[in-house]
Amino acid sequence: MSEDIYKEIILDHYRNPRNKGSLSNAEISAQDNNPVCGDRLSIDIKLEDNVVSDIKFDGEGCAISQSSASILTEMLMGKTVDELSKFTKDELLEELGTPSLGPARIKCALLSLKVLKMGTYQYLGAELPSDSDN
Ligand code: FES
């Protein structure tokens, strides 16, 4: 896909976020912020038989962080907890079209993945690996 198409996808998700909101009694729930800018993000996930049956995100921030979260929620629907824990930054960045993103913007894009990993590992009762956004 061309760079313009990726930019359009990001803007579309920013203007019309998918799965925005919160879930009560979510099995997986986490939030964090980008310490550089203060932008924040939360993700709630409901599970059925260890599979994502509903997912919502909420937050405030730049177009990249918010659209990345919106895109991530679409990618995670129907995945198992094991798949959530193994989801890689490359999978997300590929969907976002990162050749057009610089290092600062990559941090914005990965905020949603960081929150996902925090919540998933907390749910599993496991320690978050130091390279958890890989
Ligand atoms: Fe804050 Fe992008 S500028 S997450």
Side-chain angles (χ1 to χ4, degrees), residues 34 37 39 62 65 105 108:
N34 180 335
C37 61
D39 290 355
C62 67
S65 70
R105 308 264 82 187
C108 302

Side-chain angles (χ1 to χ4, degrees), residues 10-81:
I10 285 171
L11 276 177
D12 177 50
H13 276 266
Y14 183 58
R15 291 183 184 130
N16 308 294
R18 321 311 195 253
N19 304 312
K20 183 114 194 248
S22 60
L23 295 168
S24 54
N25 303 320
E27 279 81 13
I28 296 177
S29 192
Q31 59 180 331
D32 199 17
N33 60 10
N34 180 335
V36 178
C37 61
D39 290 355
R40 62 172 190 86
L41 198 68
S42 64
I43 294 180
D44 293 328
I45 298 174
K46 292 282 287 175
L47 298 170
E48 250 172 58
D49 295 330
N50 234 27
V51 168
V52 177
S53 62
D54 202 0
I55 179 166
K56 299 265 188 223
F57 83 95
D58 205 359
E60 285 166 15
C62 67
I64 305 279
S65 70
Q66 303 302 303
S67 59
S68 155
S70 174
I71 289 168
L72 183 65
T73 59
E74 287 197 320
M75 296 177 82
L76 298 179
M77 198 64 152
K79 291 209 181 293
T80 65
V81 173

